[in-house]
């Protein structure tokens, strides 16, 4: 985890900890702007998540770069559940297929 020394890191931390399910993505849940983000949204919907918070990284360059530093993860989308970093769309797909993601979301 990052050191929260910058306002962007503090903002990201507040978003991650303030919502149960947070997806940092390109675009919105209604209009994903990349295939990986679209797939991430579909996986969450397939898991029955109806309370996801999405953050469009294309609207804020600070968050777009900052989220990569926050989790030390180079790609977007990034999923957080209950304040914990889960992973990107490939990890989400693997976890979904194995049932792990549903368990993580069930909490």
């Amino acid at each position: 985890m990052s050191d929260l020394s910058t306002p962007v890191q503090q903002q990201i931390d507040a978003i991650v900890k303030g919502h149960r399910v947070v997806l940092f993505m390109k675009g919105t849940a209604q209009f994903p702007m990349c295939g990986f983000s679209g797939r991430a949204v579909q996986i969450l919907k397939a898991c029955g998540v109806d309370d996801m918070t999405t953050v469009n990284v294309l609207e804020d360059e600070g968050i777009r770069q900052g989220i990569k530093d926050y989790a030390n993860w180079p790609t977007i989308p990034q999923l957080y559940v209950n304040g914990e970093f889960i992973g990107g769309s490939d990890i989400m797909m693997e976890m979904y297929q194995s049932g792990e993601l549903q368990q993580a979301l069930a909490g």
Side-chain angles (χ1 to χ4, degrees):
M1 265 315 160
S2 66
D3 60 4
L4 304 182
S5 63
T6 68
V8 167
Q9 292 298 316
Q10 293 165 6
Q11 180 184 4
I12 290 169
D13 193 60
I15 294 168
V16 166
K17 294 190 170 134
H19 304 279
R20 190 177 79 86
V21 179
V22 182
L23 183 66
F24 288 84
M25 62 180 289
K26 293 177 180 174
T28 64
Q30 293 77 23
F31 298 104
M33 300 296 280
C34 85
F36 296 110
S37 291
R39 184 165 74 167
V41 169
Q42 291 306 314
I43 292 168
L44 289 172
K45 286 184 177 170
C47 290
V49 173
D50 56 7
D51 62 341
M52 86 175 100
T53 298
T54 60
V55 178
N56 182 356
V57 300
L58 299 178
E59 290 179 348
D60 188 324
E61 187 57 41
I63 287 183
R64 183 178 189 170
Q65 188 52 51
I67 193 62
K68 296 175 184 181
D69 301 331
Y70 183 80
N72 197 19
W73 189 262
T75 58
I76 293 163
Q78 291 185 13
L79 175 66
Y80 293 81
V81 177
N82 297 322
E84 270 185 63
F85 176 61
I86 302 295
S89 65
D90 291 349
I91 290 170
M92 288 173 67
M93 181 57 89
E94 288 170 23
M95 289 178 68
Y96 174 68
Q97 289 169 337
S98 72
E100 287 178 83
L101 186 59
Q102 294 87 325
Q103 289 175 332
L105 290 164

